[in-house]
Amino acid sequence: MRIKLALTAAVLAFSAQAMAQAKWDLPAAYPASNFHTENLVKFAGDVDKATGGKLKITVHPNASLYKAPEIKRVVQGGQAQIGEILLVNFQNEWQVFGADGVPFLADSYDEAMKLYQAQKPLLDKKLGEQGMMLLYAVAWPPQGIYSKKPINSAADMKGLKWRAYSPATARIAELVGAQPVTVQQAELSQAMATGVIESYMSSGSTGYDTKTYEHIKNWYDTQAWLPKNAVIVNKAAFGALDKATQDALLKAGAEAESRGWAASRKANTETLEKLKANGMQIHQPSPQLKADMQKVGDTMLKEWLDKAGPEGKQLVDAYRKM
C-alpha cells in the first residue's frame, strides 16, 4: 500500500512539474552563425537557467520553421509563442515598422539607438493592440551597397538586378532605375549564384554570412541605415507564465538587447575585415554617389512622412529632439 501511495505521489508530482514547464518555439530567419541568432541562443539559455527549466525556448534558425515574412503572423496567431522579425519587412502593414529603413535618417549606432527610443512607445502600443509585446530589438550593422560592377554615381546603378527584401529597398531600386527582385536572406546565395541578382544593399554581416564575396566583389560603405531585428512575444503565452518566469524572461530580454547592440558593433568591424580577406573591395562612396543617395533618402523620408501621418511626424520630431 505504501509503495502504491508513493508511486501515486511521484506521478502527481511529475504531472505538476510537466504542467508547470512551458516549451516555446522561436522561429528566426538568419543562419545559426549570425550574431543575432547567437544572441537568441544565449538568451534562450539564460531563460532556461533563470527559470530552473520551467521555460524552455527552442531557437529555429535560417527560416527552418517559418519563412521571414510569416514569423510575425504565426506569433500573433499563437502557432509560435515568440519569434524574431526584421521590422522593415512589415512597413506596408504600418509605416512606423519601417522607420529604421528610411535611408540616412539615422546613419550610426548612436543615432539608431535614439531612433529606437523614439520608436519604442509606438511599437509597444501597436504590437499590444495585435496581441503581442516587444521583448527587445537589436540593430544590424550599417547598410552599404554590394555591386558586381563599380559604381560612382546613382546613374551607374541603372538597370542593375537589385535584391529587394523590404518596401524601402524596392523603392530605392525604383528611384535609381535598378530592377528590383524580391529575395529573402535564406535564398540570397542561390540568387547570386544563378544571376538572379547582381547588387543589393545590406550589412557586412549579411555579405559574409551569404558568402557574397564568391559572386560580388564591391561593397560601398554608405552607412545608409541600421534596420532592427525585433523579438516579439505572444501576449497570451506570456500571460500564461507565472510571475517569476515572466520576470526572468523580461530580464533575459533586456540583457540580450544590450549584448546584441554590442555584438552588432563588433560584427560590423569583424565582418568587413573578413570580407576584405576573401577578396571584397571595401570602398568609400564617391562624393557624387553620396550626394545621389542623400537625394534618394530625402525623397523617401518625405514619402514616408506623407504615408505615416501624425504618428510618423511624432516619431521623427521626438527623434530629432534627442
Coordinates of all heavy atoms in Angstrom, one line a residue, residues 222-316:
T222 N 28.1 53.1 -47.5 CA 27.2 54.2 -47.5 C 26.6 54.5 -46.1 O 26.1 55.6 -45.9 CB 26.0 54.0 -48.5 OG1 25.4 52.8 -48.2 CG2 26.5 54.0 -49.9
Q223 N 26.6 53.6 -45.2 CA 26.0 53.7 -43.8 C 24.6 54.3 -44.0 O 24.2 55.2 -43.3 CB 26.9 54.6 -42.9 CG 28.3 54.0 -42.8 CD 28.9 54.3 -41.5 OE1 28.3 54.7 -40.5 NE2 30.2 54.1 -41.4
A224 N 23.8 53.7 -44.8 CA 22.5 54.2 -45.2 C 21.5 54.1 -44.1 O 20.7 55.1 -43.9 CB 22.0 53.6 -46.5
W225 N 21.4 53.0 -43.4 CA 20.5 52.9 -42.3 C 20.9 51.6 -41.5 O 21.7 50.8 -41.9 CB 19.0 52.8 -42.7 CG 18.7 51.5 -43.5 CD1 18.2 50.4 -43.0 CD2 18.7 51.3 -44.9 NE1 18.0 49.4 -44.0 CE2 18.3 50.0 -45.2 CE3 19.1 52.1 -46.0 CZ2 18.2 49.5 -46.5 CZ3 19.1 51.6 -47.3 CH2 18.6 50.3 -47.5
L226 N 20.3 51.5 -40.3 CA 20.6 50.4 -39.4 C 19.3 49.7 -39.0 O 18.7 50.1 -38.0 CB 21.4 50.8 -38.2 CG 22.9 51.3 -38.4 CD1 22.9 52.7 -38.8 CD2 23.7 51.1 -37.1
P227 N 18.8 48.8 -39.9 CA 17.5 48.2 -39.6 C 17.6 47.3 -38.3 O 18.7 46.8 -38.0 CB 17.2 47.4 -40.8 CG 18.5 47.1 -41.4 CD 19.4 48.2 -41.0
K228 N 16.4 47.1 -37.7 CA 16.5 46.3 -36.4 C 15.7 45.0 -36.6 O 14.6 45.0 -37.2 CB 15.8 47.1 -35.3 CG 16.6 48.3 -34.8 CD 16.0 49.0 -33.6 CE 14.7 49.6 -33.9 NZ 14.6 50.8 -34.8
N229 N 16.3 44.0 -35.9 CA 15.5 42.8 -35.7 C 14.8 43.0 -34.3 O 15.4 43.4 -33.4 CB 16.4 41.6 -35.6 CG 16.8 41.0 -37.0 OD1 16.4 41.6 -38.0 ND2 17.5 39.9 -37.0
A230 N 13.5 42.6 -34.3 CA 12.8 42.7 -33.0 C 12.4 41.3 -32.6 O 11.9 40.5 -33.4 CB 11.6 43.6 -33.2
V231 N 12.5 41.0 -31.3 CA 12.0 39.7 -30.7 C 10.6 40.0 -30.1 O 10.5 40.9 -29.2 CB 12.9 39.1 -29.7 CG1 12.3 37.9 -29.1 CG2 14.3 38.8 -30.4
I232 N 9.6 39.4 -30.7 CA 8.2 39.6 -30.2 C 7.6 38.4 -29.6 O 8.0 37.3 -29.9 CB 7.3 40.1 -31.4 CG1 7.4 39.1 -32.6 CG2 7.7 41.5 -31.9 CD1 6.5 39.4 -33.7
V233 N 6.7 38.6 -28.6 CA 6.1 37.5 -27.8 C 4.6 37.6 -27.9 O 4.0 38.7 -27.9 CB 6.6 37.7 -26.3 CG1 5.9 36.6 -25.5 CG2 8.1 37.6 -26.2
N234 N 4.0 36.4 -28.0 CA 2.5 36.4 -28.0 C 2.1 36.7 -26.5 O 2.5 36.1 -25.6 CB 2.1 34.9 -28.4 CG 0.6 34.8 -28.3 OD1 0.0 34.6 -27.2 ND2 -0.1 34.8 -29.5
K235 N 1.2 37.7 -26.4 CA 0.8 38.1 -25.1 C 0.1 37.1 -24.2 O 0.2 37.0 -23.0 CB -0.1 39.4 -25.2 CG 0.7 40.7 -25.2 CD 0.0 41.9 -24.6 CE -1.4 42.2 -25.2 NZ -1.8 43.6 -24.9
A236 N -0.7 36.2 -24.9 CA -1.5 35.2 -24.2 C -0.5 34.2 -23.6 O -0.6 33.7 -22.5 CB -2.5 34.5 -25.1
A237 N 0.5 33.8 -24.4 CA 1.6 32.9 -24.0 C 2.3 33.5 -22.8 O 2.6 32.8 -21.8 CB 2.5 32.5 -25.1
F238 N 2.6 34.8 -22.9 CA 3.3 35.4 -21.8 C 2.5 35.4 -20.5 O 2.9 35.2 -19.4 CB 3.7 36.9 -22.2 CG 4.4 37.6 -21.1 CD1 5.8 37.4 -20.9 CD2 3.8 38.6 -20.3 CE1 6.5 38.1 -19.9 CE2 4.5 39.3 -19.4 CZ 5.8 39.1 -19.2
G239 N 1.2 35.7 -20.7 CA 0.2 35.8 -19.6 C 0.0 34.4 -18.9 O -0.3 34.4 -17.7
A240 N 0.3 33.4 -19.6 CA 0.1 32.0 -19.0 C 1.3 31.6 -18.1 O 1.2 30.6 -17.4 CB 0.0 31.0 -20.2
L241 N 2.4 32.4 -18.2 CA 3.5 32.1 -17.3 C 3.3 32.7 -15.9 O 2.6 33.7 -15.7 CB 4.8 32.8 -17.9 CG 5.2 32.4 -19.3 CD1 6.4 33.3 -19.8 CD2 5.6 30.9 -19.4
D242 N 3.9 32.1 -14.9 CA 3.9 32.6 -13.6 C 4.7 33.9 -13.5 O 5.6 34.1 -14.4 CB 4.2 31.6 -12.5 CG 5.7 31.1 -12.6 OD1 6.6 31.9 -12.6 OD2 5.9 29.9 -12.7
K243 N 4.5 34.7 -12.5 CA 5.2 36.0 -12.3 C 6.7 35.9 -12.3 O 7.4 36.6 -13.0 CB 4.7 36.7 -11.1 CG 5.3 38.0 -10.8 CD 4.8 39.1 -11.7 CE 5.1 40.5 -11.3 NZ 6.5 40.8 -11.0
A244 N 7.2 34.9 -11.6 CA 8.7 34.7 -11.6 C 9.3 34.4 -12.9 O 10.3 34.9 -13.3 CB 9.0 33.6 -10.6
T245 N 8.6 33.6 -13.7 CA 9.0 33.2 -15.1 C 8.9 34.4 -16.0 O 9.8 34.7 -16.8 CB 8.2 32.0 -15.6 OG1 8.3 30.9 -14.7 CG2 8.8 31.6 -17.0
Q246 N 7.9 35.2 -15.9 CA 7.7 36.4 -16.7 C 8.9 37.4 -16.4 O 9.5 37.9 -17.3 CB 6.4 37.1 -16.4 CG 5.2 36.4 -16.9 CD 3.9 37.2 -16.5 OE1 3.9 38.1 -15.6 NE2 2.8 36.8 -17.1
D247 N 9.2 37.6 -15.1 CA 10.3 38.5 -14.7 C 11.6 38.0 -15.3 O 12.4 38.8 -15.8 CB 10.3 38.6 -13.2 CG 9.2 39.4 -12.6 OD1 8.4 40.0 -13.4 OD2 8.9 39.3 -11.4
A248 N 11.8 36.7 -15.2 CA 13.1 36.1 -15.7 C 13.2 36.3 -17.2 O 14.3 36.7 -17.8 CB 13.2 34.6 -15.4
L249 N 12.1 36.2 -17.9 CA 12.0 36.4 -19.4 C 12.4 37.8 -19.8 O 13.2 38.1 -20.7 CB 10.7 36.0 -20.0 CG 10.5 36.1 -21.5 CD1 11.3 35.0 -22.2 CD2 9.0 36.0 -21.9
L250 N 11.7 38.8 -19.0 CA 11.9 40.2 -19.3 C 13.4 40.6 -19.0 O 14.0 41.4 -19.8 CB 11.0 41.0 -18.5 CG 9.5 40.9 -18.8 CD1 8.6 41.6 -17.8 CD2 9.2 41.4 -20.2
K251 N 13.9 40.1 -17.9 CA 15.3 40.4 -17.6 C 16.3 39.8 -18.6 O 17.2 40.5 -19.1 CB 15.6 39.8 -16.2 CG 17.1 40.1 -15.7 CD 17.2 39.6 -14.2 CE 18.6 40.0 -13.7 NZ 19.7 39.2 -14.2
A252 N 16.1 38.6 -19.1 CA 16.9 38.0 -20.1 C 16.8 38.8 -21.4 O 17.8 38.9 -22.1 CB 16.6 36.5 -20.3
G253 N 15.6 39.3 -21.7 CA 15.4 40.1 -22.9 C 16.2 41.4 -22.9 O 16.8 41.8 -23.8
A254 N 16.1 42.1 -21.7 CA 16.9 43.3 -21.5 C 18.4 43.1 -21.7 O 19.1 43.9 -22.3 CB 16.6 43.9 -20.2
E255 N 18.9 42.0 -21.1 CA 20.3 41.7 -21.2 C 20.7 41.3 -22.7 O 21.7 41.7 -23.2 CB 20.6 40.5 -20.3 CG 20.6 40.9 -18.8 CD 20.7 39.7 -17.9 OE1 20.6 38.5 -18.4 OE2 20.7 39.9 -16.7
A256 N 19.8 40.6 -23.4 CA 20.0 40.3 -24.8 C 20.1 41.5 -25.7 O 20.8 41.6 -26.6 CB 18.9 39.3 -25.3
E257 N 19.2 42.5 -25.3 CA 19.2 43.7 -26.1 C 20.6 44.4 -26.0 O 21.2 44.8 -27.0 CB 18.1 44.6 -25.7 CG 18.0 45.9 -26.5 CD 16.7 46.7 -26.2 OE1 15.7 46.4 -26.8 OE2 16.7 47.6 -25.4
S258 N 21.0 44.6 -24.8 CA 22.3 45.3 -24.5 C 23.5 44.5 -25.2 O 24.3 45.1 -25.8 CB 22.5 45.4 -23.0 OG 23.8 45.9 -22.7
R259 N 23.4 43.2 -25.0 CA 24.5 42.3 -25.5 C 24.5 42.4 -27.1 O 25.5 42.4 -27.7 CB 24.3 40.9 -25.0 CG 25.4 39.9 -25.4 CD 25.1 38.6 -24.8 NE 23.8 38.0 -25.1 CZ 22.9 37.7 -24.2 NH1 23.1 37.8 -22.9 NH2 21.7 37.1 -24.6
G260 N 23.3 42.4 -27.6 CA 23.1 42.4 -29.1 C 23.6 43.6 -29.8 O 24.2 43.5 -30.8
W261 N 23.4 44.8 -29.2 CA 23.9 46.0 -29.8 C 25.4 46.0 -29.8 O 26.1 46.4 -30.8 CB 23.3 47.3 -29.1 CG 21.9 47.6 -29.5 CD1 20.8 46.9 -29.1 CD2 21.5 48.6 -30.4 NE1 19.7 47.5 -29.7 CE2 20.1 48.5 -30.5 CE3 22.1 49.6 -31.1 CZ2 19.3 49.4 -31.2 CZ3 21.4 50.5 -31.8 CH2 20.0 50.4 -31.9
A262 N 26.0 45.5 -28.7 CA 27.5 45.5 -28.6 C 28.0 44.5 -29.7 O 29.0 44.7 -30.3 CB 27.9 45.0 -27.2
A263 N 27.3 43.3 -29.8 CA 27.7 42.3 -30.8 C 27.6 42.8 -32.2 O 28.4 42.5 -33.1 CB 26.8 41.1 -30.6
S264 N 26.6 43.7 -32.5 CA 26.4 44.3 -33.8 C 27.6 45.1 -34.2 O 28.1 45.1 -35.3 CB 25.1 45.1 -33.8 OG 24.9 45.6 -35.1
R265 N 28.0 46.0 -33.2 CA 29.2 46.8 -33.5 C 30.4 46.0 -33.8 O 31.2 46.3 -34.7 CB 29.5 47.7 -32.2 CG 28.5 48.9 -32.0 CD 28.8 49.6 -30.7 NE 27.9 50.7 -30.4 CZ 28.0 52.0 -30.8 NH1 29.1 52.3 -31.4 NH2 27.2 52.9 -30.4
K266 N 30.6 44.9 -33.0 CA 31.8 44.0 -33.1 C 31.7 43.3 -34.5 O 32.7 43.2 -35.2 CB 31.8 43.0 -32.0 CG 33.0 42.2 -31.9 CD 33.1 41.5 -30.5 CE 34.3 40.6 -30.4 NZ 34.0 39.2 -30.7
A267 N 30.5 42.8 -34.8 CA 30.3 42.1 -36.1 C 30.6 43.0 -37.3 O 31.1 42.5 -38.3 CB 28.9 41.5 -36.1
N268 N 30.2 44.3 -37.1 CA 30.4 45.2 -38.2 C 31.9 45.3 -38.6 O 32.4 45.1 -39.7 CB 29.9 46.6 -37.9 CG 30.0 47.6 -39.0 OD1 29.7 47.2 -40.2 ND2 30.5 48.8 -38.7
T269 N 32.8 45.5 -37.5 CA 34.2 45.6 -37.7 C 34.8 44.3 -38.2 O 35.5 44.2 -39.2 CB 34.9 45.9 -36.4 OG1 34.3 47.2 -35.9 CG2 36.4 46.1 -36.6
E270 N 34.4 43.2 -37.6 CA 35.0 41.9 -37.9 C 34.6 41.4 -39.3 O 35.4 40.8 -40.0 CB 34.6 40.8 -36.9 CG 35.2 41.0 -35.5 CD 34.8 40.0 -34.5 OE1 33.9 39.2 -34.7 OE2 35.4 40.0 -33.4
T271 N 33.3 41.6 -39.7 CA 32.9 41.0 -40.9 C 33.4 41.8 -42.1 O 33.7 41.2 -43.2 CB 31.3 40.9 -41.1 OG1 30.8 42.2 -40.7 CG2 30.7 39.9 -40.2
L272 N 33.7 43.1 -41.9 CA 34.3 43.9 -43.0 C 35.7 43.4 -43.2 O 36.2 43.3 -44.4 CB 34.3 45.4 -42.7 CG 32.9 46.0 -42.8 CD1 33.0 47.5 -42.5 CD2 32.1 45.7 -44.1
E273 N 36.4 43.1 -42.1 CA 37.8 42.5 -42.3 C 37.8 41.2 -43.0 O 38.6 40.9 -43.8 CB 38.4 42.4 -40.9 CG 38.8 43.7 -40.2 CD 39.8 44.5 -41.1 OE1 40.7 44.0 -41.7 OE2 39.6 45.8 -41.2
K274 N 36.8 40.3 -42.6 CA 36.6 39.0 -43.2 C 36.3 39.1 -44.7 O 36.8 38.3 -45.5 CB 35.6 38.2 -42.5 CG 36.0 37.7 -41.1 CD 34.9 37.0 -40.4 CE 35.3 36.5 -39.0 NZ 34.1 36.0 -38.3
L275 N 35.4 40.1 -45.1 CA 35.1 40.3 -46.5 C 36.4 40.7 -47.3 O 36.6 40.2 -48.3 CB 34.0 41.4 -46.6 CG 32.6 41.0 -46.2 CD1 31.7 42.3 -46.3 CD2 32.0 39.9 -47.1
K276 N 37.1 41.6 -46.7 CA 38.4 42.0 -47.3 C 39.3 40.8 -47.5 O 39.9 40.6 -48.6 CB 39.1 43.0 -46.5 CG 38.7 44.5 -46.7 CD 39.7 45.4 -45.9 CE 39.0 46.6 -45.5 NZ 39.8 47.4 -44.5
A277 N 39.4 40.0 -46.5 CA 40.3 38.8 -46.6 C 39.9 37.8 -47.7 O 40.7 37.0 -48.2 CB 40.3 38.1 -45.2
N278 N 38.6 37.9 -48.0 CA 38.0 37.0 -49.0 C 37.9 37.7 -50.4 O 37.2 37.2 -51.3 CB 36.7 36.4 -48.6 CG 36.8 35.3 -47.6 OD1 37.1 34.2 -48.0 ND2 36.7 35.6 -46.3
G279 N 38.6 38.8 -50.6 CA 38.7 39.4 -51.9 C 37.7 40.5 -52.2 O 37.6 41.0 -53.3
M280 N 36.9 40.9 -51.2 CA 35.9 42.0 -51.4 C 36.6 43.4 -51.3 O 37.4 43.6 -50.4 CB 34.8 42.0 -50.3 CG 33.7 43.0 -50.4 SD 32.5 42.7 -51.8 CE 31.6 41.3 -51.1
Q281 N 36.3 44.2 -52.3 CA 36.9 45.6 -52.2 C 35.9 46.5 -51.4 O 34.7 46.6 -51.8 CB 36.9 46.1 -53.7 CG 37.9 45.4 -54.6 CD 39.3 45.6 -54.2 OE1 39.8 46.7 -53.9 NE2 40.1 44.5 -54.1
I282 N 36.4 47.0 -50.3 CA 35.6 47.9 -49.5 C 35.9 49.3 -49.9 O 37.0 49.8 -49.8 CB 35.9 47.7 -48.0 CG1 35.9 46.3 -47.6 CG2 35.0 48.6 -47.1 CD1 34.5 45.6 -47.6
H283 N 34.8 50.0 -50.5 CA 35.0 51.4 -51.0 C 34.3 52.4 -50.1 O 33.2 52.1 -49.6 CB 34.4 51.5 -52.4 CG 34.9 50.5 -53.4 ND1 36.1 50.6 -54.0 CD2 34.3 49.3 -53.8 CE1 36.3 49.6 -54.9 NE2 35.2 48.8 -54.7
Q284 N 34.9 53.6 -50.0 CA 34.1 54.7 -49.5 C 33.4 55.3 -50.7 O 33.9 55.4 -51.8 CB 35.0 55.8 -48.9 CG 35.6 55.4 -47.6 CD 34.6 55.0 -46.5 OE1 33.6 55.8 -46.3 NE2 34.7 53.9 -45.9
P285 N 32.1 55.6 -50.6 CA 31.3 56.1 -51.8 C 31.9 57.5 -52.3 O 32.4 58.3 -51.5 CB 29.9 56.3 -51.2 CG 30.0 56.4 -49.7 CD 31.2 55.6 -49.4
S286 N 31.9 57.7 -53.6 CA 32.4 58.9 -54.1 C 31.5 60.1 -53.7 O 30.3 59.8 -53.3 CB 32.4 58.8 -55.7 OG 31.0 58.8 -56.1
P287 N 31.9 61.3 -53.7 CA 31.1 62.4 -53.4 C 29.8 62.4 -54.2 O 28.7 62.7 -53.7 CB 31.9 63.7 -53.7 CG 33.4 63.2 -53.5 CD 33.3 61.7 -54.0
Q288 N 29.9 62.1 -55.5 CA 28.7 62.0 -56.3 C 27.7 61.0 -55.9 O 26.5 61.2 -55.8 CB 29.1 61.8 -57.8 CG 27.9 61.9 -58.8 CD 27.3 63.3 -58.8 OE1 27.9 64.2 -59.0 NE2 26.0 63.4 -58.5
L289 N 28.2 59.8 -55.6 CA 27.3 58.7 -55.1 C 26.7 59.1 -53.8 O 25.5 58.8 -53.6 CB 28.1 57.4 -55.0 CG 27.3 56.2 -54.5 CD1 26.2 55.9 -55.5 CD2 28.2 54.9 -54.4
K290 N 27.5 59.7 -52.9 CA 26.9 60.1 -51.6 C 25.8 61.2 -51.8 O 24.7 61.1 -51.2 CB 28.0 60.8 -50.7 CG 28.8 59.8 -49.9 CD 29.8 60.5 -49.1 CE 29.3 60.7 -47.7 NZ 30.4 61.0 -46.7
A291 N 26.0 62.1 -52.7 CA 25.0 63.2 -52.9 C 23.8 62.6 -53.6 O 22.7 62.9 -53.2 CB 25.6 64.2 -53.9
D292 N 24.0 61.6 -54.5 CA 22.8 61.0 -55.2 C 22.0 60.2 -54.2 O 20.8 60.2 -54.2 CB 23.3 60.1 -56.3 CG 23.9 60.8 -57.5 OD1 23.7 62.0 -57.6 OD2 24.6 60.1 -58.3
M293 N 22.7 59.4 -53.3 CA 22.0 58.6 -52.3 C 21.3 59.5 -51.3 O 20.2 59.1 -50.7 CB 22.9 57.6 -51.7 CG 23.5 56.6 -52.7 SD 22.2 55.8 -53.8 CE 21.4 54.7 -52.6
Q294 N 21.9 60.6 -50.9 CA 21.2 61.5 -50.0 C 19.9 62.1 -50.6 O 18.9 62.2 -49.8 CB 22.2 62.7 -49.6 CG 21.6 63.6 -48.5 CD 21.4 62.9 -47.2 OE1 22.3 62.3 -46.6 NE2 20.2 62.8 -46.7
K295 N 19.9 62.3 -51.9 CA 18.7 62.8 -52.5 C 17.6 61.7 -52.5 O 16.4 62.0 -52.2 CB 19.0 63.1 -54.0 CG 19.5 64.5 -54.3 CD 19.6 64.7 -55.8 CE 20.5 65.9 -56.1 NZ 20.9 66.0 -57.5
V296 N 18.1 60.4 -52.7 CA 17.1 59.3 -52.5 C 16.6 59.3 -51.1 O 15.3 59.1 -50.9 CB 17.9 58.0 -52.8 CG1 17.0 56.8 -52.4 CG2 18.2 57.9 -54.3
G297 N 17.4 59.5 -50.1 CA 17.0 59.5 -48.7 C 16.0 60.6 -48.4 O 15.0 60.4 -47.8
D298 N 16.3 61.8 -49.0 CA 15.4 62.9 -48.7 C 14.0 62.7 -49.3 O 13.0 62.9 -48.7 CB 16.0 64.2 -49.4 CG 17.2 64.7 -48.7 OD1 17.5 64.3 -47.5 OD2 18.0 65.5 -49.2
T299 N 14.0 62.1 -50.6 CA 12.7 61.8 -51.2 C 11.9 60.7 -50.4 O 10.7 60.9 -50.2 CB 13.0 61.2 -52.6 OG1 13.7 62.2 -53.4 CG2 11.7 60.8 -53.4
M300 N 12.7 59.7 -50.0 CA 12.0 58.6 -49.2 C 11.5 59.1 -47.8 O 10.5 58.6 -47.4 CB 12.9 57.4 -49.1 CG 13.1 56.7 -50.5 SD 14.2 55.3 -50.5 CE 13.3 54.2 -49.4
L301 N 12.2 60.0 -47.2 CA 11.7 60.5 -45.9 C 10.5 61.3 -46.1 O 9.5 61.1 -45.3 CB 12.8 61.4 -45.2 CG 12.4 62.0 -43.9 CD1 12.0 61.0 -42.9 CD2 13.5 62.9 -43.4
K302 N 10.4 62.1 -47.1 CA 9.2 62.9 -47.4 C 8.0 61.9 -47.7 O 6.9 62.1 -47.2 CB 9.4 63.8 -48.6 CG 8.2 64.7 -48.9 CD 8.5 65.7 -50.0 CE 7.3 66.6 -50.3 NZ 6.0 65.9 -50.5
E303 N 8.3 60.9 -48.5 CA 7.2 60.0 -48.9 C 6.8 59.2 -47.6 O 5.6 59.0 -47.4 CB 7.7 59.0 -49.9 CG 8.0 59.6 -51.3 CD 8.6 58.6 -52.3 OE1 9.1 57.5 -51.9 OE2 8.6 58.9 -53.5
W304 N 7.7 58.8 -46.8 CA 7.4 58.1 -45.6 C 6.6 58.9 -44.6 O 5.6 58.4 -44.1 CB 8.7 57.6 -44.9 CG 8.4 56.8 -43.7 CD1 8.2 55.4 -43.7 CD2 8.4 57.2 -42.3 NE1 8.0 55.0 -42.4 CE2 8.1 56.1 -41.5 CE3 8.6 58.4 -41.7 CZ2 8.0 56.1 -40.1 CZ3 8.4 58.5 -40.3 CH2 8.2 57.3 -39.6
L305 N 6.9 60.2 -44.5 CA 6.2 61.1 -43.6 C 4.7 61.3 -44.1 O 3.8 61.3 -43.3 CB 6.9 62.4 -43.4 CG 8.1 62.4 -42.5 CD1 8.9 63.7 -42.7 CD2 7.7 62.2 -41.0
D306 N 4.6 61.4 -45.4 CA 3.3 61.5 -46.0 C 2.4 60.3 -45.7 O 1.2 60.4 -45.4 CB 3.4 61.7 -47.6 CG 3.9 63.1 -47.9 OD1 3.9 64.0 -47.1 OD2 4.3 63.2 -49.1
K307 N 3.0 59.1 -45.8 CA 2.2 57.9 -45.5 C 2.0 57.6 -44.1 O 1.0 57.1 -43.6 CB 3.0 56.7 -46.1 CG 2.9 56.6 -47.7 CD 3.7 55.4 -48.1 CE 3.8 55.3 -49.6 NZ 4.7 54.3 -50.1
A308 N 3.0 58.0 -43.3 CA 3.0 57.6 -41.8 C 2.0 58.6 -41.1 O 1.5 58.2 -40.0 CB 4.4 57.7 -41.2
G309 N 1.8 59.8 -41.6 CA 0.9 60.7 -41.0 C 1.4 61.2 -39.6 O 2.6 61.3 -39.4
P310 N 0.4 61.6 -38.7 CA 0.8 62.1 -37.4 C 1.8 61.3 -36.6 O 2.6 61.8 -35.9 CB -0.6 62.3 -36.7 CG -1.6 62.3 -37.8 CD -1.1 61.5 -38.9
E311 N 1.6 60.0 -36.7 CA 2.5 59.1 -35.9 C 3.9 59.2 -36.4 O 4.9 59.2 -35.6 CB 2.1 57.6 -36.0 CG 0.9 57.2 -35.2 CD 0.5 55.8 -35.3 OE1 0.5 55.3 -36.5 OE2 0.1 55.1 -34.3
G312 N 4.1 59.3 -37.7 CA 5.4 59.4 -38.3 C 6.1 60.8 -37.9 O 7.2 60.8 -37.5
K313 N 5.3 61.8 -37.9 CA 5.8 63.2 -37.5 C 6.2 63.2 -36.1 O 7.2 63.7 -35.7 CB 4.7 64.2 -37.8 CG 5.2 65.6 -37.6 CD 4.2 66.7 -38.0 CE 4.8 68.1 -37.9 NZ 5.5 68.4 -36.6
Q314 N 5.3 62.5 -35.2 CA 5.6 62.4 -33.8 C 6.9 61.7 -33.6 O 7.7 62.1 -32.8 CB 4.4 61.7 -33.1 CG 4.7 61.4 -31.6 CD 3.7 60.4 -31.1 OE1 2.6 60.2 -31.7 NE2 4.0 59.6 -30.1
L315 N 7.1 60.6 -34.3 CA 8.3 59.8 -34.2 C 9.6 60.6 -34.6 O 10.6 60.7 -33.8 CB 8.2 58.6 -35.0 CG 9.5 57.7 -35.2 CD1 10.1 57.3 -33.9 CD2 9.2 56.5 -36.0
V316 N 9.5 61.2 -35.8 CA 10.7 62.0 -36.3 C 11.0 63.2 -35.4 O 12.2 63.5 -35.1 CB 10.5 62.4 -37.8 CG1 11.6 63.3 -38.2 CG2 10.5 61.1 -38.6

